[in-house]
Amino acid sequence: MSTFKVLDKEFVPYLSEADIQAKIAELAKQLNVEYAGKKPIFLSILNGSFLFTADLFRQITIEAEVCFIKLASYKGTSSTGNVITAIGLDTSVSGRDIIIIEDIIDTGKTLHHFLPQLAAQQPTSIKIAVLLNKTEALAFPVKVDYACFDIPNKFVVGYGLDYDGLGRNTREIYQLKES
Ligand code: 5GP
Ligand code: MG
């Protein structure tokens, strides 16, 4: 693997395809056991999670559903904070076991604002599975239940993750090169 350029920035190889796939296989194995007989819904947050979700879900052998949503944030009518809405949540989550699938947790802000809305629909359980967990960047009280990798607070691209819309279409993950 060599240096990867996206727009004006240079990235260096960080996680190989083999490392990523090994962790995903491990996670799938765990979920297949923990969710057997529960018919969970994998709630995938677009866009960044689409490759992770596909590779994970194809290794799920128990009965399960998958649903792709987008989280859109907009300013509420009052000046207090952001409101997050889920676009495309057309499946009822009431009484269901939900596994949120995220590419990366950074500050946790997005999920922190979205979780209460999901909880309002009274699912049986909500757990969070992420490919990348920037543990040092977490600034909101979000509990990550499954993380494939704990990573430092540096910008990464590839395998679904973008820089300004580009760089998603790789099998590896790259880290911003120190200048
Ligand atoms: P949070 O709400 O947890 O602060 O932000 C999560 C979102 O920020 C992710 O879904 C992702 O879109 C974006 N993000 C955070 N860190 C990175 C990163 O290192 N690389 C990329 N490509 N996106 C990131
Ligand atoms: Mg995302």
Side-chain angles (χ1 to χ4, degrees):
M1 290 190 285
S2 53
T3 309
F4 181 51
K5 195 154 192 280
V6 185
L7 299 171
D8 59 323
K9 299 217 187 306
E10 278 214 85
F11 294 85
V12 292
Y14 180 55
L15 299 171
S16 71
E17 178 180 14
D19 287 347
I20 294 167
Q21 293 304 328
K23 287 287 186 186
I24 291 175
E26 216 174 281
L27 175 58
K29 208 171 154 187
Q30 193 179 350
L31 296 176
N32 282 329
V33 173
E34 290 183 20
Y35 285 87
K38 293 187 167 172
K39 209 201 289 180
I41 300 175
F42 286 69
L43 197 60
S44 174
I45 316 284
L46 293 172
N47 291 329
S49 303
F50 75 113
L51 292 178
F52 174 41
T53 304
D55 285 340
L56 176 67
F57 198 68
R58 81 173 95 220
Q59 297 186 66
I60 295 300
T61 52
I62 57 169
E63 199 178 18
E65 289 182 46
V66 63
C67 178
F68 291 87
I69 64 169
K70 260 197 162 179
L71 296 183
S73 74
Y74 59 93
K75 280 275 179 217
T77 44
S78 69
S79 56
T80 51
N82 286 10
V83 179
I84 306 269
T85 44
I87 300 167
L89 188 52
D90 50 11
T91 308
S92 171
V93 301
S94 167
R96 301 293 300 273
D97 290 288
I98 308 302
I99 308 164
I100 293 177
I101 309 295
E102 257 285 37
D103 50 353
I104 188 165
I105 292 266
D106 187 22
T107 64
K109 185 178 177 196
T110 316
L111 285 184
H112 177 69
H113 286 101
F114 171 58
L115 285 172
Q117 294 172 49
L118 194 62
Q121 295 189 42
Q122 301 190 310
T124 301
S125 70
I126 303 174
K127 285 200 174 181
I128 299 172
V130 302
L131 180 66
L132 307 173
N133 190 12
K134 277 189 181 171
T135 49
E136 298 158 11
L138 195 70
F140 290 81
V142 172
K143 181 173 168 275
V144 175
D145 299 283
Y146 310 94
C148 292
F149 299 95
D150 287 343
I151 66 165
N153 196 5
K154 288 182 186 168
F155 192 76
V156 290
V157 292
Y159 193 66
L161 292 127
D162 74 304
Y163 167 52
D164 212 3
L166 297 175
R168 297 189 196 273
N169 47 326
T170 69
R171 293 167 185 266
E172 310 80 23
I173 290 172
Y174 296 81
Q175 193 175 62
L176 187 62
K177 193 176 176 178
E178 306 283 349
S179 45

